[in-house]
Structures are given as structure tokens and as C-alpha cells.
Amino acid sequence: EVQLVESGGGLVQPGGSLRLSCASSGFTFNDYWMNWVRQAPGKGLEWVANIKQDGSEKNYVDSVKGRFTISRDNGNKSLHLQMNSLRAEDTAIYYCVRDTWLSFDVWGQGTLVTVSS
Amino acid sequence: QSVLTQPPSASGTPGQRVTISCSGSSSNIGSNTVNWYQQFPGTAPKLLIYSNNQRPSGVPDRFSGSASDTSASLAISGLQSEDEADYYCAAWDDGLYGFVFGTGTKVTVL
């Protein structure tokens, strides 16, 4: 079964850091671009970042550039998101998402990040 | 921020046809294909339509998509109660060099 499972979410103070992880199974991880997509409580979807199969190319939404870093470990079939200088507006469910021909065809269940003092 | 514009809500009675619009620009819908996602409360989104008008395996054929110029639309024919959900369009944006989502449309079955 194709599956993505996120972990690492939680409560963090403004200005703090958090590292999200996503474990994959059921498919050849290093064949795909991978993404993080987030959804603030009661709001719509927002794409956060993506990374190429070999990690050589990374793209970010403007609001997280310089604060978030996406990375992958193809040997362990995992995706990561290092989040620094967190702000209240980063509070959201973060989804790990597989990209197949520019469509998001596999989604994890999400992990909640809450930034609050 | 959402770059693609959708109506906040749409509704219909069982069996009716409902259409959701998605308005973008030359850098996103005008240059790249559009995908549609369906999301039920408390669950992760699911790919509903890809490459403007293709349905993944398992998606009922009452869902259809189209795109022209800088706009796209999702049609639900023969609306059913289980279609009550939020729907989002999305596309790659060549100017922003990232994916953009629509504002989302809540479909209600009356």
C-alpha cells in the first residue's frame, strides 16, 4: 500500500524551531518530487515547498523562504521540513505529498503545528 | 496566499449538475494544467482530476474537468449526498515558481 506518514508536529513558541518528518512506503521514493502543503485551521490549502528526486532543486513559497528548509533522505525513504523562526501564522496542519506529473496524488494524514506562547 | 479564485460556495439538489469555476492568470492556468482536489472535514485532500480533465482510478465519471485560457471548471453531474465536501483547484505558477491553490469551494447538497 502506498503510504505517507508525517510526524514531528506539536506546540512551539514564536521564534522557535520544529522539524517535521515524513516516512514513505509502498513506492519507489526516489522516483518522485515531494512536497509539503499546509492548511491553517478553517482555511484553505497552501503549498509550502518541494524537492526534486535527487535533492538538487528546492522551491519555497515566499512566506517561508529563509526560515524553512526541505530535505530528503532517499536511503531511508523520508522527507523532512526544518522550520525555524516560527510565527503564529505558521500554525497549520502540514501534509507530506507526492507529486506525479505536477499533480498531488498521494497525501499523508497530516501533522499539526501550533505556534503560540 | 491564494492566486486562483473560486466561488466560496455552490449547492444543488440530488441529481442536479453543479459547476465550480477557477480563475487564474497566464502564468498558472494559462501555461500549465489544472488539478482538482476533494476534501472532507478532518481528512486529507484527495486528487479528483489531474491534467485538466483526467480522472484517477476510482473517481466516479460524474466528476469532470475542463480548462480554457486562464480559467478552469469542475462539474459534478448527478450530484449525490456524498459529494458534499470542499473542492480546490491548483496549478503550477511559472512566475511564482511554485504551486498555487484556489480559494476553495464548499459544495452543499440540499
Side-chain angles (χ1 to χ4, degrees), chain B residues 21-97:
Chain B
S21 62
C22 174
S23 177
S25 67
S26 58
S27 62
N28 42 65
I29 297 177
S31 307
N32 300 289
T33 58
V34 177
N35 306 307
W36 290 88
Y37 301 91
Q38 177 189 55
Q39 185 180 33
F40 297 105
T43 68
K46 166 193 163 185
L47 179 63
L48 194 65
I49 296 288
Y50 67 96
S51 296
N52 295 337
N53 54 20
Q54 302 299 302
R55 284 186 307 277
S57 174
V59 173
D61 60 5
R62 64 177 183 276
F63 293 95
S64 62
S66 64
S68 179
D69 295 329
T70 59
S71 294
S73 63
L74 173 71
I76 309 174
S77 302
L79 190 65
Q80 299 185 8
S81 58
E82 58 260 38
D83 298 333
E84 196 162 277
D86 294 324
Y87 294 83
Y88 296 90
C89 58
W92 177 262
D93 190 295
D94 292 337
L96 297 174
Y97 216 75

